Amino acid sequence: MIFSVEKRKRRVKGKVKKSESYYLRYRFGDMPRDKWHCLNATEKSVAEEKAKEFRSEWEHAQIGMITPKKRAAAWNLPFAELVAEYRAELTTRGRDARYIDITCKRIASVGTKSQWKKLGDATGDSFMIWRRGQNLKGKTLNDYLSSVGSFFQWLVDLERLERNPMTKVPPVSTDGEEPEERRAFTTVEFDRLCAVSGKRTIVYQLTLFCGLRRDEAAQLIWGDVLTARDGAMFLKLRKSTVKNGKTVNQPVPGWLAELIRTHKAESAKLSDCVFESIPSMPRFYKDLDAAKIPRIDERGHHSKFHSLRHTFGTWLWVTGADPRVIMKLMRHSDLNLTTRRYTDEAGLACDDAVSRLPVFASIREWTQIGTQISDISGQNVSQAGESDTTGKALKSLENKGFGRPLTGAVASDQLVHAVGFEPTTPSV
């Protein structure tokens, strides 16, 4: 190792001249040759102190530590400018625009209310003081902690901070907090919503029948609306606009495809958004009120814009679609999420499902005998053209709403096989 404070000699026009300032001549570690570093000092004692500081910084850098000098420079950086720089970094990483906006607004809000004018003002204690003054749910407060913590970790990775000030901040307990359940709309309710929504109707229809999230509908452009060879329309949901970051083709019902084609202006470009704007939550609530749809039902479930996506999942179940198909259309990676969180039990036709259970011949005959004894007409089964003991034709059950087709006629000496269940029962 070479570590020497001296004035540098240079040959100028054949004469050797010394520099006015002192230089540090050094060779650390496995450096192949000597290096010179100007100390900008004319007194040797001052130059030696600067040389020691230079060596200390170099050694700290080798083990990944930030020197007091670098830390002091970073601490004086304006906090608002760092947040803007972080926003640009998230954009470069390809994060969702809505995620970026929410994250940076959280960081900026905490910084403003905690008076973090410079980076050095940010501490874990000041964050906890801000948190104690907020009337927010524990989950929301933890989301703030996660956003702010990620921001500071980014600064640590850039070696602008030695440690993350949020590391020692504990999360808030969420015990006893029930997640806000969203409800699904009935067909009658959605019909009323469309009737009062005017030009917003097409937004609600496309969002529901394609299972879109609000920000996905907002980022949909005409270049994403494509037509297959068979003429069927589908939406190409780009990975940069969806939550799971995977590009997928989402089918569009035929009747809705015609409405979308009518909605498209002749001058529309492929880069133009399909919708000029998405209804805000206040506007959405006004439409709910006009349609006489309660914002909170008797179960305490909320009517939100995201309820349109819940309705999509619930209606798919009611129509009898295969669970794996529903999971794919919902773009979920977990079937439990599809079946539990995005299926509103109130919208399931439980009574209809029970009425479609298989009927045994012996039970039907016993029921007919009991009916004759009591002289009260029994329940009709889904047989076509069967006559009762009085000779009057029994009417077939009407298949109302969503449901599978009714069972056909069954002979009195045959057992009924279960149909429509997954997996299908071989025999009863």
Coordinates of all heavy atoms in Angstrom, one line a residue, residues 134-169:
Q134 N -53.9 9.7 12.9 CA -54.8 9.3 11.7 C -56.0 8.5 12.2 O -55.8 7.5 13.0 CB -54.0 8.6 10.6 CG -52.8 9.3 10.2 CD -53.1 10.7 9.7 OE1 -54.0 10.9 8.8 NE2 -52.4 11.7 10.2
N135 N -57.1 8.8 11.6 CA -58.3 8.0 11.9 C -58.6 7.0 10.7 O -59.6 7.1 10.0 CB -59.6 8.9 12.1 CG -60.8 8.1 12.5 OD1 -60.7 7.0 13.1 ND2 -62.0 8.7 12.2
L136 N -57.6 6.1 10.5 CA -57.7 5.1 9.4 C -57.6 3.7 10.0 O -57.2 3.5 11.1 CB -56.5 5.4 8.5 CG -56.4 6.7 7.8 CD1 -55.1 6.9 7.1 CD2 -57.6 7.0 6.9
K137 N -58.1 2.8 9.1 CA -58.0 1.4 9.5 C -56.6 0.9 9.6 O -55.7 1.4 8.9 CB -58.9 0.5 8.6 CG -60.4 0.7 8.7 CD -61.1 -0.2 7.8 CE -62.6 0.0 7.9 NZ -63.4 -1.0 7.0
G138 N -56.4 -0.2 10.3 CA -55.0 -0.7 10.5 C -54.4 -1.1 9.1 O -53.3 -0.9 8.9
K139 N -55.2 -1.7 8.3 CA -54.7 -2.2 7.0 C -54.3 -1.0 6.1 O -53.2 -1.1 5.5 CB -55.8 -2.9 6.2 CG -55.4 -3.5 4.8 CD -56.5 -4.1 4.1 CE -56.0 -4.6 2.7 NZ -55.5 -3.5 1.9
T140 N -55.0 0.1 6.2 CA -54.6 1.3 5.4 C -53.3 1.9 6.0 O -52.5 2.3 5.2 CB -55.8 2.3 5.5 OG1 -57.0 1.8 5.0 CG2 -55.4 3.5 4.6
L141 N -53.2 1.9 7.3 CA -52.0 2.4 7.9 C -50.8 1.6 7.5 O -49.7 2.1 7.3 CB -52.1 2.5 9.4 CG -53.1 3.6 9.9 CD1 -53.3 3.4 11.4 CD2 -52.7 5.0 9.6
N142 N -51.0 0.3 7.5 CA -49.9 -0.6 7.1 C -49.5 -0.4 5.6 O -48.4 -0.6 5.2 CB -50.3 -2.1 7.3 CG -50.3 -2.4 8.8 OD1 -49.7 -1.7 9.6 ND2 -51.0 -3.4 9.2
D143 N -50.5 -0.1 4.8 CA -50.2 0.2 3.4 C -49.4 1.4 3.3 O -48.5 1.5 2.4 CB -51.5 0.4 2.6 CG -52.3 -0.9 2.4 OD1 -51.7 -2.0 2.5 OD2 -53.5 -0.8 2.2
Y144 N -49.6 2.4 4.1 CA -48.8 3.6 4.1 C -47.4 3.3 4.5 O -46.4 3.8 3.9 CB -49.4 4.7 5.1 CG -50.4 5.6 4.5 CD1 -51.7 5.3 4.4 CD2 -49.9 6.8 4.0 CE1 -52.6 6.2 3.9 CE2 -50.9 7.7 3.4 CZ -52.2 7.4 3.3 OH -53.1 8.3 2.8
L145 N -47.2 2.4 5.5 CA -45.9 2.0 6.0 C -45.2 1.3 4.9 O -44.0 1.5 4.7 CB -46.1 1.1 7.3 CG -44.8 0.5 7.8 CD1 -43.8 1.6 8.2 CD2 -45.1 -0.4 9.0
S146 N -45.9 0.4 4.2 CA -45.2 -0.3 3.1 C -44.7 0.6 2.0 O -43.6 0.4 1.5 CB -46.2 -1.3 2.5 OG -45.7 -2.0 1.4
S147 N -45.6 1.6 1.6 CA -45.2 2.5 0.6 C -44.0 3.4 1.0 O -43.0 3.5 0.2 CB -46.4 3.4 0.2 OG -47.5 2.7 -0.3
V148 N -44.0 3.9 2.2 CA -42.9 4.8 2.6 C -41.7 4.0 2.8 O -40.6 4.4 2.5 CB -43.3 5.5 3.9 CG1 -42.2 6.3 4.5 CG2 -44.5 6.4 3.7
G149 N -41.8 2.7 3.4 CA -40.7 1.9 3.6 C -40.0 1.5 2.3 O -38.7 1.4 2.2
S150 N -40.8 1.2 1.3 CA -40.2 0.9 0.0 C -39.4 2.0 -0.6 O -38.4 1.9 -1.3 CB -41.3 0.4 -1.0 OG -41.9 -0.7 -0.5
F151 N -39.9 3.2 -0.4 CA -39.3 4.4 -0.9 C -37.9 4.6 -0.3 O -36.9 4.8 -0.9 CB -40.1 5.7 -0.6 CG -39.5 7.0 -0.8 CD1 -39.1 7.5 -2.0 CD2 -39.2 7.8 0.4 CE1 -38.4 8.7 -2.1 CE2 -38.6 9.0 0.2 CZ -38.2 9.5 -1.0
F152 N -37.8 4.5 1.1 CA -36.5 4.6 1.7 C -35.6 3.5 1.4 O -34.4 3.7 1.4 CB -36.8 4.7 3.3 CG -37.3 6.0 3.7 CD1 -38.5 6.1 4.3 CD2 -36.6 7.2 3.5 CE1 -39.0 7.3 4.7 CE2 -37.1 8.4 3.9 CZ -38.3 8.5 4.5
Q153 N -36.1 2.3 1.2 CA -35.3 1.2 0.8 C -34.6 1.4 -0.5 O -33.5 1.0 -0.8 CB -36.1 -0.1 0.8 CG -35.2 -1.4 0.6 CD -34.2 -1.6 1.6 OE1 -34.4 -1.4 2.8 NE2 -32.9 -1.9 1.2
W154 N -35.4 2.1 -1.4 CA -34.8 2.4 -2.7 C -33.6 3.4 -2.5 O -32.6 3.3 -3.2 CB -35.9 3.1 -3.6 CG -35.4 3.8 -4.8 CD1 -34.9 3.1 -5.9 CD2 -35.4 5.2 -5.1 NE1 -34.6 4.1 -6.9 CE2 -34.9 5.3 -6.4 CE3 -35.8 6.3 -4.4 CZ2 -34.8 6.6 -7.0 CZ3 -35.7 7.5 -4.9 CH2 -35.2 7.7 -6.2
L155 N -33.7 4.3 -1.6 CA -32.6 5.2 -1.3 C -31.4 4.5 -0.7 O -30.3 4.9 -1.0 CB -33.1 6.4 -0.4 CG -34.1 7.3 -1.0 CD1 -34.7 8.3 0.1 CD2 -33.5 8.1 -2.1
V156 N -31.7 3.5 0.1 CA -30.6 2.7 0.7 C -29.9 1.9 -0.4 O -28.6 1.9 -0.4 CB -31.2 1.7 1.7 CG1 -30.1 0.7 2.2 CG2 -31.7 2.5 2.9
D157 N -30.7 1.4 -1.4 CA -30.0 0.7 -2.5 C -29.2 1.6 -3.3 O -28.2 1.1 -3.9 CB -31.1 0.0 -3.3 CG -31.9 -1.1 -2.6 OD1 -31.4 -1.6 -1.6 OD2 -33.0 -1.4 -3.0
L158 N -29.5 2.9 -3.4 CA -28.7 3.8 -4.2 C -27.6 4.4 -3.3 O -26.9 5.3 -3.8 CB -29.6 5.0 -4.6 CG -30.7 4.6 -5.7 CD1 -31.5 5.9 -6.0 CD2 -30.0 4.1 -7.0
E159 N -27.5 3.9 -2.1 CA -26.4 4.3 -1.2 C -26.5 5.8 -0.8 O -25.6 6.5 -0.5 CB -25.0 4.1 -1.7 CG -24.7 2.6 -2.0 CD -23.3 2.3 -2.4 OE1 -22.6 3.3 -2.7 OE2 -22.9 1.2 -2.4
R160 N -27.8 6.3 -0.8 CA -28.0 7.7 -0.3 C -28.3 7.7 1.2 O -28.3 8.7 1.8 CB -29.2 8.3 -1.1 CG -28.8 8.5 -2.6 CD -30.0 9.2 -3.3 NE -29.7 9.3 -4.7 CZ -30.5 9.9 -5.6 NH1 -31.7 10.4 -5.2 NH2 -30.2 10.0 -6.9
L161 N -28.7 6.5 1.7 CA -29.0 6.3 3.1 C -28.2 5.1 3.6 O -28.1 4.1 2.8 CB -30.5 6.2 3.3 CG -31.4 7.4 3.3 CD1 -32.8 7.0 3.6 CD2 -30.9 8.4 4.4
E162 N -27.8 5.1 4.8 CA -27.1 4.0 5.4 C -28.1 2.9 5.8 O -27.9 1.7 5.7 CB -26.3 4.4 6.5 CG -25.5 3.2 7.1 CD -24.5 3.7 8.2 OE1 -24.5 4.9 8.5 OE2 -23.8 2.8 8.8
R163 N -29.3 3.3 6.3 CA -30.3 2.4 6.7 C -31.7 2.9 6.5 O -31.9 4.2 6.3 CB -30.2 2.0 8.2 CG -30.4 3.1 9.1 CD -30.2 2.7 10.6 NE -30.6 3.8 11.5 CZ -31.8 4.1 11.9 NH1 -32.8 3.4 11.4 NH2 -32.0 5.1 12.7
N164 N -32.7 2.1 6.4 CA -34.1 2.4 6.2 C -34.7 2.9 7.5 O -34.8 2.1 8.5 CB -34.8 1.3 5.6 CG -36.2 1.6 5.2 OD1 -36.8 2.6 5.7 ND2 -36.8 0.8 4.3
P165 N -35.1 4.1 7.7 CA -35.7 4.6 9.0 C -37.0 3.9 9.3 O -37.4 4.0 10.5 CB -35.9 6.1 8.8 CG -36.0 6.3 7.3 CD -35.1 5.2 6.7
M166 N -37.6 3.2 8.4 CA -38.9 2.5 8.7 C -38.7 1.1 9.1 O -39.7 0.4 9.5 CB -39.8 2.6 7.4 CG -40.2 3.9 7.0 SD -41.1 4.9 8.1 CE -40.0 6.2 8.5
T167 N -37.4 0.6 9.1 CA -37.2 -0.8 9.5 C -37.7 -1.2 10.8 O -38.3 -2.3 11.0 CB -35.7 -1.1 9.4 OG1 -35.2 -0.8 8.0 CG2 -35.4 -2.6 9.6
K168 N -37.5 -0.3 11.8 CA -37.9 -0.6 13.2 C -39.3 -0.2 13.5 O -39.8 -0.3 14.7 CB -36.9 0.1 14.1 CG -35.5 -0.3 14.0 CD -35.3 -1.8 14.3 CE -33.8 -2.2 14.2 NZ -33.6 -3.6 14.5
V169 N -40.1 0.3 12.6 CA -41.5 0.8 12.8 C -42.4 -0.5 12.7 O -42.4 -1.1 11.6 CB -41.9 1.8 11.8 CG1 -43.4 2.2 12.0 CG2 -41.0 3.1 11.9

